[in-house]
mmCIF file of all heavy atoms in Angstrom:
data_model
loop_
_atom_site.group_PDB
_atom_site.id
_atom_site.type_symbol
_atom_site.label_atom_id
_atom_site.label_comp_id
_atom_site.label_asym_id
_atom_site.label_seq_id
_atom_site.Cartn_x
_atom_site.Cartn_y
_atom_site.Cartn_z
ATOM 1 N N ARG B 235 44.123 63.866 23.653
ATOM 2 C CA ARG B 235 43.033 64.546 24.406
ATOM 3 C C ARG B 235 43.118 66.105 24.377
ATOM 4 O O ARG B 235 42.084 66.749 24.506
ATOM 5 C CB ARG B 235 43.030 63.977 25.831
ATOM 6 C CG ARG B 235 41.874 64.403 26.652
ATOM 7 C CD ARG B 235 40.850 63.290 26.767
ATOM 8 N NE ARG B 235 39.701 63.672 27.505
ATOM 9 C CZ ARG B 235 38.422 63.836 26.970
ATOM 10 N NH1 ARG B 235 38.327 63.561 25.692
ATOM 11 N NH2 ARG B 235 37.386 64.321 27.669
ATOM 12 N N TYR B 236 44.330 66.557 24.166
ATOM 13 C CA TYR B 236 44.574 68.005 24.042
ATOM 14 C C TYR B 236 43.593 68.623 22.968
ATOM 15 O O TYR B 236 43.129 69.767 23.087
ATOM 16 C CB TYR B 236 46.036 68.318 23.702
ATOM 17 C CG TYR B 236 46.330 69.753 23.377
ATOM 18 C CD1 TYR B 236 46.388 70.777 24.406
ATOM 19 C CD2 TYR B 236 46.523 70.131 22.004
ATOM 20 C CE1 TYR B 236 46.666 72.120 24.097
ATOM 21 C CE2 TYR B 236 46.834 71.459 21.747
ATOM 22 C CZ TYR B 236 46.892 72.449 22.718
ATOM 23 O OH TYR B 236 47.204 73.690 22.416
ATOM 24 N N ALA B 237 43.383 67.883 21.859
ATOM 25 C CA ALA B 237 42.597 68.361 20.757
ATOM 26 C C ALA B 237 41.140 68.546 21.234
ATOM 27 O O ALA B 237 40.342 69.300 20.606
ATOM 28 C CB ALA B 237 42.626 67.413 19.586
ATOM 29 N N VAL B 238 40.758 67.900 22.301
ATOM 30 C CA VAL B 238 39.378 68.021 22.777
ATOM 31 C C VAL B 238 39.264 69.056 23.880
ATOM 32 O O VAL B 238 38.380 69.903 23.904
ATOM 33 C CB VAL B 238 38.830 66.676 23.298
ATOM 34 C CG1 VAL B 238 37.467 66.721 23.825
ATOM 35 C CG2 VAL B 238 38.927 65.632 22.216
ATOM 36 N N THR B 239 40.222 69.045 24.814
ATOM 37 C CA THR B 239 40.140 69.933 25.987
ATOM 38 C C THR B 239 40.830 71.208 25.774
ATOM 39 O O THR B 239 40.556 72.210 26.552
ATOM 40 C CB THR B 239 40.630 69.175 27.220
ATOM 41 O OG1 THR B 239 42.127 68.929 27.085
ATOM 42 C CG2 THR B 239 39.969 67.853 27.413
ATOM 43 N N GLY B 240 41.956 71.211 24.979
ATOM 44 C CA GLY B 240 42.730 72.431 24.845
ATOM 45 C C GLY B 240 43.648 72.631 26.053
ATOM 46 O O GLY B 240 44.373 73.623 26.137
ATOM 47 N N LYS B 241 43.696 71.643 26.982
ATOM 48 C CA LYS B 241 44.560 71.777 28.146
ATOM 49 C C LYS B 241 45.956 71.234 27.889
ATOM 50 O O LYS B 241 46.078 70.115 27.406
ATOM 51 C CB LYS B 241 43.891 71.065 29.360
ATOM 52 C CG LYS B 241 42.578 71.629 29.834
ATOM 53 C CD LYS B 241 42.153 70.844 31.079
ATOM 54 C CE LYS B 241 40.789 71.252 31.452
ATOM 55 N NZ LYS B 241 40.199 70.276 32.376
ATOM 56 N N ASP B 242 46.944 71.993 28.252
ATOM 57 C CA ASP B 242 48.294 71.537 28.038
ATOM 58 C C ASP B 242 48.633 70.213 28.682
ATOM 59 O O ASP B 242 49.343 69.331 28.142
ATOM 60 C CB ASP B 242 49.327 72.566 28.513
ATOM 61 C CG ASP B 242 49.814 73.387 27.391
ATOM 62 O OD1 ASP B 242 49.690 72.974 26.202
ATOM 63 O OD2 ASP B 242 50.470 74.510 27.631
ATOM 64 N N ALA B 243 48.014 69.998 29.803
ATOM 65 C CA ALA B 243 48.151 68.674 30.549
ATOM 66 C C ALA B 243 47.687 67.499 29.777
ATOM 67 O O ALA B 243 48.114 66.408 30.012
ATOM 68 C CB ALA B 243 47.508 68.801 31.932
ATOM 69 N N ASP B 244 46.804 67.773 28.870
ATOM 70 C CA ASP B 244 46.244 66.647 28.010
ATOM 71 C C ASP B 244 46.965 66.331 26.746
ATOM 72 O O ASP B 244 46.544 65.483 26.000
ATOM 73 C CB ASP B 244 44.756 66.936 27.750
ATOM 74 C CG ASP B 244 43.900 66.819 28.966
ATOM 75 O OD1 ASP B 244 44.247 66.016 29.888
ATOM 76 O OD2 ASP B 244 42.769 67.459 28.949
ATOM 77 N N ARG B 245 48.093 67.101 26.562
ATOM 78 C CA ARG B 245 48.870 66.838 25.376
ATOM 79 C C ARG B 245 49.439 65.424 25.356
ATOM 80 O O ARG B 245 50.028 64.989 26.369
ATOM 81 C CB ARG B 245 49.963 67.864 25.206
ATOM 82 C CG ARG B 245 50.310 68.281 23.849
ATOM 83 C CD ARG B 245 51.415 69.290 23.778
ATOM 84 N NE ARG B 245 50.993 70.606 24.187
ATOM 85 C CZ ARG B 245 50.513 71.552 23.270
ATOM 86 N NH1 ARG B 245 50.434 71.239 22.005
ATOM 87 N NH2 ARG B 245 50.222 72.715 23.692
ATOM 88 N N PHE B 246 49.193 64.716 24.287
ATOM 89 C CA PHE B 246 49.720 63.279 24.083
ATOM 90 C C PHE B 246 49.017 62.324 25.069
ATOM 91 O O PHE B 246 49.536 61.249 25.379
ATOM 92 C CB PHE B 246 51.304 63.207 24.247
ATOM 93 C CG PHE B 246 52.003 64.075 23.360
ATOM 94 C CD1 PHE B 246 52.887 65.084 23.842
ATOM 95 C CD2 PHE B 246 51.790 64.072 21.973
ATOM 96 C CE1 PHE B 246 53.549 65.939 22.974
ATOM 97 C CE2 PHE B 246 52.438 64.953 21.113
ATOM 98 C CZ PHE B 246 53.311 65.907 21.637
ATOM 99 N N SER B 247 47.862 62.775 25.613
ATOM 100 C CA SER B 247 47.094 61.872 26.401
ATOM 101 C C SER B 247 46.077 61.192 25.509
ATOM 102 O O SER B 247 45.326 61.852 24.836
ATOM 103 C CB SER B 247 46.441 62.704 27.553
ATOM 104 O OG SER B 247 45.636 61.833 28.339
ATOM 105 N N PHE B 248 46.086 59.869 25.526
ATOM 106 C CA PHE B 248 45.178 59.087 24.624
ATOM 107 C C PHE B 248 44.354 58.130 25.530
ATOM 108 O O PHE B 248 44.781 57.742 26.660
ATOM 109 C CB PHE B 248 45.996 58.275 23.648
ATOM 110 C CG PHE B 248 46.741 59.108 22.670
ATOM 111 C CD1 PHE B 248 48.090 59.514 22.899
ATOM 112 C CD2 PHE B 248 46.130 59.524 21.476
ATOM 113 C CE1 PHE B 248 48.784 60.309 22.001
ATOM 114 C CE2 PHE B 248 46.851 60.314 20.549
ATOM 115 C CZ PHE B 248 48.119 60.676 20.823
ATOM 116 N N LYS B 249 43.286 57.804 25.023
ATOM 117 C CA LYS B 249 42.442 56.717 25.698
ATOM 118 C C LYS B 249 43.290 55.407 25.670
ATOM 119 O O LYS B 249 43.857 55.068 24.653
ATOM 120 C CB LYS B 249 41.119 56.454 24.956
ATOM 121 C CG LYS B 249 40.084 55.661 25.736
ATOM 122 C CD LYS B 249 38.837 55.460 24.939
ATOM 123 C CE LYS B 249 39.121 54.660 23.677
ATOM 124 N NZ LYS B 249 37.861 54.479 22.875
ATOM 125 N N VAL B 250 43.391 54.836 26.844
ATOM 126 C CA VAL B 250 44.121 53.589 26.928
ATOM 127 C C VAL B 250 43.431 52.512 26.146
ATOM 128 O O VAL B 250 42.245 52.185 26.325
ATOM 129 C CB VAL B 250 44.188 53.143 28.471
ATOM 130 C CG1 VAL B 250 44.888 51.800 28.528
ATOM 131 C CG2 VAL B 250 44.863 54.159 29.253
ATOM 132 N N PRO B 251 44.090 51.920 25.150
ATOM 133 C CA PRO B 251 43.367 50.929 24.279
ATOM 134 C C PRO B 251 43.116 49.638 25.072
ATOM 135 O O PRO B 251 43.907 49.255 25.962
ATOM 136 C CB PRO B 251 44.329 50.673 23.143
ATOM 137 C CG PRO B 251 45.668 51.119 23.698
ATOM 138 C CD PRO B 251 45.515 52.156 24.734
ATOM 139 N N THR B 252 42.031 48.958 24.699
ATOM 140 C CA THR B 252 41.706 47.624 25.300
ATOM 141 C C THR B 252 42.813 46.651 24.863
ATOM 142 O O THR B 252 43.352 46.739 23.788
ATOM 143 C CB THR B 252 40.345 47.129 24.831
ATOM 144 O OG1 THR B 252 40.184 45.812 25.317
ATOM 145 C CG2 THR B 252 40.265 47.128 23.264
ATOM 146 N N LEU B 253 43.167 45.736 25.695
ATOM 147 C CA LEU B 253 44.030 44.651 25.376
ATOM 148 C C LEU B 253 43.312 43.365 25.045
ATOM 149 O O LEU B 253 43.900 42.362 24.814
ATOM 150 C CB LEU B 253 45.088 44.499 26.502
ATOM 151 C CG LEU B 253 46.012 45.596 26.744
ATOM 152 C CD1 LEU B 253 47.005 45.316 27.847
ATOM 153 C CD2 LEU B 253 46.735 45.995 25.516
ATOM 154 N N ARG B 254 42.002 43.423 25.158
ATOM 155 C CA ARG B 254 41.221 42.238 24.713
ATOM 156 C C ARG B 254 41.480 41.983 23.244
ATOM 157 O O ARG B 254 41.502 42.919 22.436
ATOM 158 C CB ARG B 254 39.660 42.477 24.986
ATOM 159 C CG ARG B 254 39.370 42.561 26.396
ATOM 160 C CD ARG B 254 39.429 41.233 27.020
ATOM 161 N NE ARG B 254 39.069 41.185 28.427
ATOM 162 C CZ ARG B 254 38.876 40.100 29.132
ATOM 163 N NH1 ARG B 254 39.074 38.874 28.564
ATOM 164 N NH2 ARG B 254 38.542 40.155 30.402
ATOM 165 N N ASN B 255 41.704 40.669 22.822
ATOM 166 C CA ASN B 255 41.954 40.349 21.447
ATOM 167 C C ASN B 255 43.178 41.029 20.871
ATOM 168 O O ASN B 255 43.214 41.177 19.649
ATOM 169 C CB ASN B 255 40.708 40.624 20.592
ATOM 170 C CG ASN B 255 39.440 40.052 21.225
ATOM 171 O OD1 ASN B 255 39.289 38.892 21.375
ATOM 172 N ND2 ASN B 255 38.576 41.000 21.700
ATOM 173 N N VAL B 256 44.075 41.376 21.669
ATOM 174 C CA VAL B 256 45.190 42.264 21.240
ATOM 175 C C VAL B 256 46.070 41.431 20.259
ATOM 176 O O VAL B 256 46.773 42.046 19.415
ATOM 177 C CB VAL B 256 46.009 42.778 22.435
ATOM 178 C CG1 VAL B 256 46.800 41.663 23.160
ATOM 179 C CG2 VAL B 256 46.899 43.933 22.050
ATOM 180 N N GLU B 257 46.006 40.177 20.353
ATOM 181 C CA GLU B 257 46.693 39.301 19.354
ATOM 182 C C GLU B 257 46.253 39.614 17.906
ATOM 183 O O GLU B 257 47.015 39.383 16.940
ATOM 184 C CB GLU B 257 46.499 37.850 19.698
ATOM 185 C CG GLU B 257 47.169 36.845 18.792
ATOM 186 C CD GLU B 257 46.877 35.474 19.089
ATOM 187 O OE1 GLU B 257 45.953 35.170 19.874
ATOM 188 O OE2 GLU B 257 47.571 34.489 18.623
#
Side-chain angles (χ1 to χ4, degrees):
Chain B
R235 190 102 184 111
Y236 171 75
V238 178
T239 66
K241 293 182 190 166
D242 260 345
D244 287 334
R245 212 180 285 270
F246 306 122
S247 180
F248 295 90
K249 191 180 64 183
V250 177
T252 175
L253 296 180
R254 292 290 183 171
N255 312 293
V256 71
E257 180 183 14

